[in-house]
Amino acid sequence: MTKASSKGGNLRDKLDGNELDLSLSDLNEVPVKELAALPKATVLDLSCNKLTTLPSDFCGLTHLVKLDLSKNKLQQLPADFGRLVNLQHLDLLNNRLVTLPVSFAQLKSLKWLDLKDNPLDPVLAKVAGDCLDEKQCKQCASKVLQHMKAVQADQERERQRRLEVEREAEKKREKAEEKERRRKEYDALKAAKREQEKKPKKETNQAAKSKSGSRPRKPPPRKHTRSWAVLKLLLLLLLCVAGGLVACRMTELQQQPLCTSVNTIYDNAVRGLRSHNILQWVLQTDSQQ
C-alpha cells in the first residue's frame, strides 16, 4: 500500500454511503487506484491535505460528482481535468492556482465552483468573482465555464490558424519543389536537344573527312626504267650520227678524211637498202617531198 493510502487508512472503512472523507489525512498523493476501486464514492473530500499536484490518472475518476480540494497546495490541475464530465460541485478554495486547463470547458455538468484565495490570472479572477454564498458560487461556475469555452475556442482558432499557415507553407514548399522539378526537366530536355543537334554536325564533319580521305590519290610518276634510259641514249646517238652525216655531206667538212669515210659508208648503206622495194618506195616518197 502506498504512503498516501496508508495515511488514508482503509478507504472502505471511511466510505459513508456515497461519500468518502479523506480530509485532514496529511496526504501528499492521491490514492487513485484505491479510489478507482470505489465507484460508489461519488462525493470525495480531499481538503486540508498537502497535495501539490494531481496525477493524470486522477482524471479517470469519472464517477465523481462532488469534489473538495480546498486548502491544499495545488499549483495546477491536470490537462485532462475536463474528463470529469459528471462533476457538479468543485471546491478549489485556498490553493496556488493561477490558471485552469483549457479542458475545464468540458465540465458541462458543473454547477458550483469556488476559486477564492488563489493567485489567479487577473482576467480569470475578474470572471470568477466572489463565492460568498450559494448564488455567487453558481454564478462563478457558469461564468468560468463560459470563459474557458471562449479560451478553448480562441485556442482552437489559433490552432486552426497555425495549421492553415503550415498548410500554406507546405503548399508553397510543394509548389517550389514542383517548379524546381519542372525546371530541371526543362534543362535536361534542353541539354539533350543540344546534344542531339551536335551529333549531326559531328557526323557531317566525319563524313566530309572520310570523303576527303577517300579521294583517289594521283599515281606517282613512273620511274624511268633502265630500258628507257638506253632508248634515250640510242636516240641521242642517232641524232649525233645524223648530225655528223649532215655535216659531212652538206658542209665544207665533206672533204675531210673522216667525212669521206662517213659518206662512203652512207652511200653503201643507201645502195644496200634500195634493193628492198618497200624501203625504196619510202625513199622515193621522201625524195618527192
Side-chain angles (χ1 to χ4, degrees):
M1 185 176 294
T2 63
K3 179 180 179 181
S5 59
S6 63
K7 288 187 176 183
N10 192 327
L11 299 186
R12 292 187 180 276
D13 294 340
K14 293 179 177 291
L15 183 62
D16 183 8
N18 67 335
E19 297 183 6
L20 181 61
D21 187 0
L22 296 179
S23 63
L24 300 170
S25 299
D26 199 26
L27 295 176
N28 295 315
E29 299 176 356
V30 179
V32 177
K33 291 183 179 179
E34 289 79 1
L35 292 174
L38 298 173
K40 293 182 179 180
T42 58
V43 178
L44 177 61
D45 188 353
L46 290 170
S47 62
C48 302
N49 282 292
K50 299 179 181 180
L51 302 175
T52 57
T53 59
L54 296 177
S56 59
D57 53 355
F58 181 85
C59 302
L61 303 176
T62 56
H63 60 277
L64 293 178
V65 174
K66 183 176 181 180
L67 177 61
D68 190 350
L69 290 168
S70 62
K71 298 181 181 180
N72 277 283
K73 300 178 181 180
L74 295 173
Q75 299 180 4
Q76 62 181 8
L77 298 178
D80 292 335
F81 195 80
R83 291 173 57 193
L84 301 175
V85 292
N86 294 314
L87 196 61
Q88 299 178 14
H89 184 110
L90 178 60
D91 193 345
L92 293 170
L93 169 72
N94 195 13
N95 276 279
R96 299 177 182 178
L97 299 172
V98 177
T99 60
L100 296 174
V102 177
S103 65
F104 201 91
Q106 300 173 13
L107 300 177
K108 297 180 180 180
S109 300
L110 191 64
K111 305 297 181 183
W112 194 98
L113 177 62
D114 188 358
L115 286 171
K116 291 193 309 294
D117 300 330
N118 279 284
L120 296 174
D121 176 80
V123 176
L124 180 59
K126 184 177 180 180
V127 171
D130 293 327
C131 184
L132 301 176
D133 54 33
E134 189 75 10
K135 182 179 179 180
Q136 288 183 344
C137 291
K138 288 183 178 180
Q139 289 178 347
C140 176
S142 176
K143 290 181 179 179
V144 169
L145 280 178
Q146 291 180 0
H147 172 70
M148 295 310 298
K149 287 179 181 178
V151 171
Q152 186 181 44
D154 290 342
Q155 288 194 0
E156 180 62 21
R157 282 193 294 270
E158 178 62 20
R159 188 181 72 84
Q160 291 295 335
R161 187 192 67 80
R162 288 198 299 268
L163 288 175
E164 185 65 23
V165 170
E166 290 176 359
R167 282 195 291 266
E168 288 296 326
E170 181 67 15
K171 287 181 181 179
K172 289 181 180 179
R173 185 184 65 79
E174 291 177 355
K175 188 175 180 180
E177 289 179 353
E178 177 65 15
K179 186 176 180 180
E180 180 65 16
R181 184 185 66 79
R182 292 174 62 185
R183 186 189 66 80
K184 288 181 178 179
E185 288 180 354
Y186 174 78
D187 291 343
L189 289 174
K190 196 172 180 180
K193 187 176 180 181
R194 284 198 299 266
E195 288 297 324
Q196 195 67 24
E197 289 175 351
K198 287 179 181 178
K199 285 182 179 179
K201 292 182 179 179
K202 290 182 178 179
E203 292 175 356
T204 303
N205 293 335
Q206 291 177 356
K209 288 181 179 178
S210 62
K211 287 182 179 179
S212 62
S214 62
R215 288 177 183 175
R217 295 182 179 179
K218 293 182 179 180
R222 297 179 180 178
K223 295 182 178 181
H224 299 299
T225 61
R226 182 175 300 177
S227 59
W228 179 247
V230 171
L231 182 59
K232 286 178 67 178
L233 183 59
L234 290 175
L235 289 175
L236 181 60
L237 182 59
L238 287 174
L239 288 174
C240 292
V241 171
L245 182 60
V246 171
C248 288
R249 293 184 67 85
M250 299 181 66
T251 64
E252 297 176 353
L253 296 176
Q254 58 184 344
Q255 302 299 328
Q256 296 294 325
L258 179 60
C259 285
T260 300
S261 300
V262 169
N263 289 332
T264 302
I265 294 172
Y266 174 75
D267 291 338
N268 293 332
V270 170
R271 281 193 299 266
L273 290 173
R274 282 180 177 177
S275 62
H276 295 83
N277 295 330
I278 296 175
L279 184 58
Q280 185 178 2
W281 177 80
V282 171
L283 291 174
Q284 288 177 355
T285 303
D286 182 61
S287 63
Q288 289 177 0
Q289 290 179 355

